[in-house]
Structures are given as C-alpha cells and as structure tokens.
C-alpha cells in the first residue's frame, strides 16, 4: 500500500490554512485508500496464511510532527497509517499474515522536490524487497536519511525529547 498525497502545494503555509476539506482529501487517499486496498485483498491473504503479508508505506512523519503548517494534514495521515499498521499486525498475526511498515526518509519524488532529498533509492528498494520476501519481516523498516540523520535515529531519539524542546525547535 503506497498512498500518499500532501494535498497542498503550500507546505510553508500556516496551519490555519488547512481546513477540514483538505484533511478529508488527504485522509481519504492516505488512510482510507490503504484500508480499502487492504480490505480488497485480505480474504486472499488470510486464505494463503503463513507467508502472506501487507506492506504499508508510511513516513518518518508517522512518529514526528515537524512545524510545517501546510503539511499538518499529511503528517496526521502518516500517524494514522502507523497506528493502522500496528493494529493490523497485531490482529492478523494469528492468521499468519505479517504486516510491515516502511518509513522512508527524504527521497526525491513527485511529492518531494527539496534539494536535500536523495535521488538514490537503493536502500529504500532494499527495505521493500526485505519486507516482501523475508520469511519474518520486521514490523518497521527505517530507510534513508533526513538532513544527514538516519531515519532510524531520528524516529527513535526524537520521541524521547521533551515536547517543549521539540516545540521550540519546530521538530
């Protein structure tokens, strides 16, 4: 499941410009789209049993919420995909269906044109390959970097930093 739109081209806009319509649009694609595609294939996956898997593409924004106003709906959706993936994994495990979440870093794409974004996606492809083919896939794959910091470090360290300090720094 790889659904992702930011919903806006105004990533530097203040958060108050993101109204409920934008949240509905982004959540419909990034969260409900993942739920629908999973529901469509779930009977086949359960029938297959051991070795079946669901691989969801999240974001490092699933654990951190940077202070980028126009991206708040996108960040919200990636937090939801994170929770959905955890719930699916715990619910479907007894039926032999593994669920993995891939959390890419800052990669060049149609959604991300930042000059710091990496055009080399080989580690991301490696994470996807492992999530699909490994007999016991990890629950989370952290791929790539953000501003030179590995996503695995960023997503494990920032959640333990006090909110007041993260708020001051906008991370």
């Amino acid at each position: 499941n790889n659904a992702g739109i930011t919903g806006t081209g105004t990533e530097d806009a203040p958060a108050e410009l993101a109204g409920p319509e934008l949240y509905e649009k982004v959540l419909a694609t990034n969260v409900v789209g993942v739920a629908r595609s999973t529901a469509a294939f779930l009977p086949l996956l359960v029938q297959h049993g051991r070795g079946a898997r669901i691989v969801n593409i999240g974001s490092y924004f699933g654990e951190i919420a940077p202070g980028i106003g126009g991206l708040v709906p996108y960040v919200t959706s990636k937090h939801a995909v994170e929770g959905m993936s955890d719930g699916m994994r715990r619910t479907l495990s007894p039926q032999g269906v593994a669920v993995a979440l891939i959390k890419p870093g800052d990669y060049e794409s149609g959604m991300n044109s930042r000059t710091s974004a990496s055009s080399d996606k080989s580690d991301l492809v490696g994470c996807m390959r492992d999530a699909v083919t490994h007999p016991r896939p990890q629950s989370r794959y952290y791929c790539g970097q953000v501003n030179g910091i590995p996503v695995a470090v960023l997503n494990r360290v920032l959640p333990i930093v006090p909110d007041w300090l993260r708020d001051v720094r906008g991370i």
Side-chain angles (χ1 to χ4, degrees):
N1 292 308
N2 184 19
I5 62 168
T6 60
T8 178
T10 57
E11 285 78 6
D12 295 324
E16 57 269 12
L17 293 181
E21 298 82 12
L22 182 57
Y23 280 91
E24 287 173 352
K25 177 181 177 180
V26 173
L27 292 170
T29 298
N30 298 4
V31 180
V32 178
V34 168
R36 282 190 177 152
S37 62
T38 300
F41 288 97
L42 191 56
L44 292 172
L45 295 170
V46 170
Q47 181 182 358
H48 184 281
R50 296 276 169 227
R53 65 202 56 213
I54 296 167
V55 179
N56 292 329
I57 308 298
S59 171
Y60 65 97
F61 284 152
E63 286 183 62
I64 62 172
I68 305 172
L71 286 180
V72 173
Y74 176 77
V75 170
T76 301
S77 74
K78 292 307 177 177
H79 275 267
V81 169
E82 186 113 0
M84 182 170 36
S85 297
D86 286 345
M88 285 179 179
R89 186 181 68 255
R90 293 177 183 125
T91 302
L92 296 172
S93 177
Q95 298 173 51
V97 179
V99 179
L101 176 65
I102 296 178
K103 298 171 66 93
D106 199 8
Y107 290 100
E108 188 179 272
S109 71
M111 287 177 37
N112 184 4
S113 58
R114 291 176 34 157
T115 56
S116 62
S118 175
S119 60
D120 179 9
K121 299 176 183 81
S122 57
D123 57 340
L124 178 58
V125 170
C127 286
M128 289 181 180
R129 182 182 304 114
D130 192 77
V132 170
T133 63
H134 197 280
R136 294 182 55 95
Q138 298 174 31
S139 57
R140 282 176 176 68
Y141 290 85
Y142 299 93
C143 309
Q145 300 184 2
V146 177
N147 295 329
I149 302 169
V151 171
V153 171
L154 193 68
N155 277 179
R156 289 180 175 131
V157 171
L158 282 180
I160 63 173
V161 173
D163 285 341
W164 66 265
L165 182 57
R166 291 176 61 188
D167 292 350
V168 168
R169 302 290 300 167
I171 51 173

